[in-house]
Amino acid sequence: MMQVESSQAIAGIPIVHHVAPPLHLVPPQMPDWHGTATTETPIVIRHAVGPVDVTGLEPLFDIEPWMTYYADGAGGTAIRYHSVDAAIPERLLRTVRPGVEYDVSYAFAPEQPVERRGKEMSAYAIALAERRRGLMAHGSAFILPSGKAALCLGVSGAGKSTLARMMLERDDVRVLNDDRQALTREPDGFHVWSTPWPGSAGIANDGHAPLGVVMLIGRAATPVVRRRPAREVVRTLLTTLALPNWNDDALGDGLGLIDDLVASVPVVELAYPLGPGTSQWIVDQLMEIEER
């Protein structure tokens, strides 16, 4: 009998897993994350043992050593997850109905339960873009005392998790997630939503808020605040937002979202040393920038 598992909704979009025996999935264990109310059609992901065949797919790019993205020629995408451990099978995620249904094939049935995090996160990021609802952001985020969110972007190793841990110690700031956020366009502007997929700090708390400021983080011997030229801002956004490169229409919408973001939300680079007063300095700077 097929096992059905559901996750809490992210930005109103729930995820439903259909799991065919003998596969068994391990859900994320995030006790402080309970999601949002459901407002949209679920994303359905079906898991089964089957061939991992990329014949006819067009390779797009690699994220070594973990995965390769493909275009399927019908406006959808596929992701081949490489085996980095003999006990873990290669897997292939394919689009069935863009934004709604995805199939995951496993080359063989592993002896141990399979983490659902990677496939769930990938399918959600794909569906969010294909629904023209928004983009997944690789960055930490927290809600400022003003009630608006600061989205802190950076590639792996930039210090997102360190910043999230630092902000977690403050009573006037609510950290949403230290690594992955859903960035959506709403009638009143951009919003940031926590997800159940944290980074190395393991922080994933309930919550969402209107976006007040985008922060590009760095290190410096003394604190520095700098507004970045638009070309530099866009370059960073292109590497930290999950753009749908497999579909020209969806990609155009994603690039339009980035244009709107740069035009409507302040983007600033904050470089700083780590020290006892750093978190207060960061909050003060972001609040001042947001109020301008």
Side-chain angles (χ1 to χ4, degrees), residues 16-90:
V16 177
H17 296 269
H18 294 234
V19 188
L23 295 175
H24 179 68
L25 300 186
V26 178
Q29 300 297 317
M30 301 307 302
D32 296 326
W33 197 91
H34 305 288
T36 66
T38 296
T39 59
E40 296 193 29
T41 302
I43 298 167
V44 176
I45 309 172
R46 291 188 291 263
H47 304 257
V49 175
V52 178
D53 183 6
V54 296
T55 302
L57 300 178
E58 177 190 354
L60 293 175
F61 57 89
D62 294 308
I63 302 177
E64 293 291 350
W66 310 109
M67 62 189 75
T68 301
Y69 276 75
Y70 299 83
D72 65 9
T77 189
I79 306 173
R80 185 176 188 176
Y81 301 87
H82 307 300
S83 177
V84 295
D85 182 327
I88 301 174
E90 285 196 328

Side-chain angles (χ1 to χ4, degrees), residues 209-271:
L211 178 60
V213 60
V214 175
M215 172 182 168
L216 310 179
I217 57 180
R219 293 285 182 265
T222 57
V224 176
V225 182
R226 185 167 76 95
R227 295 299 289 261
R228 294 278 293 273
R231 64 182 181 279
E232 294 181 14
V233 170
V234 170
R235 188 180 303 125
T236 300
L237 293 175
L238 290 174
T239 60
T240 54
L241 297 177
L243 286 164
N245 297 307
W246 57 89
N247 181 294
D248 287 344
D249 290 339
L251 178 59
D253 188 78
L255 293 173
L257 181 149
I258 290 176
D259 285 343
D260 293 344
L261 181 67
V262 173
S264 61
V265 178
V267 182
V268 64
E269 179 183 13
L270 268 63

Side-chain angles (χ1 to χ4, degrees), residues 7-21:
S7 72
Q8 298 290 340
I10 307 162
I13 307 172
I15 303 172
V16 177
H17 296 269
H18 294 234
V19 188

Side-chain angles (χ1 to χ4, degrees), residues 39-211:
T39 59
E40 296 193 29
T41 302
I43 298 167
V44 176
I45 309 172
R46 291 188 291 263
H47 304 257
V49 175
V52 178
D53 183 6
V54 296
T55 302
L57 300 178
E58 177 190 354
L60 293 175
F61 57 89
D62 294 308
I63 302 177
E64 293 291 350
W66 310 109
M67 62 189 75
T68 301
Y69 276 75
Y70 299 83
D72 65 9
T77 189
I79 306 173
R80 185 176 188 176
Y81 301 87
H82 307 300
S83 177
V84 295
D85 182 327
I88 301 174
E90 285 196 328
R91 292 134 287 157
L92 181 65
L93 182 152
R94 295 199 64 160
T95 301
V96 179
R97 280 200 296 154
V100 181
E101 291 183 36
Y102 303 88
D103 284 350
V104 183
S105 299
Y106 296 73
F108 61 85
E111 295 182 3
Q112 299 298 322
V114 179
E115 291 283 348
R116 81 185 195 193
R117 170 191 165 110
K119 278 72 68 182
E120 185 175 81
M121 182 166 61
S122 296
Y124 183 86
I126 293 167
L128 188 68
E130 288 178 334
R131 293 183 183 207
R132 313 298 199 269
R133 177 79 193 283
L135 298 173
M136 183 77 80
H138 187 194
S140 60
F142 48 88
I143 302 176
L144 293 163
S146 64
K148 292 190 175 182
L151 176 59
C152 309
L153 298 177
V155 296
S156 296
K160 302 183 302 296
S161 293
T162 300
L163 177 62
R165 290 189 193 98
M166 190 163 41
M167 290 299 168
L168 201 61
E169 299 176 359
R170 300 183 61 90
D171 293 331
D172 59 347
V173 168
R174 178 172 177 77
V175 180
L176 295 175
N177 190 293
D178 71 304
D179 195 57
R180 303 284 174 174
Q181 324 295 328
L183 175 66
T184 67
R185 283 187 285 199
E186 307 295 336
D188 61 345
F190 289 97
H191 281 233
V192 176
W193 308 73
S194 180
T195 74
W197 310 303
S200 60
I203 303 170
N205 294 311
D206 273 329
H208 66 94
L211 178 60

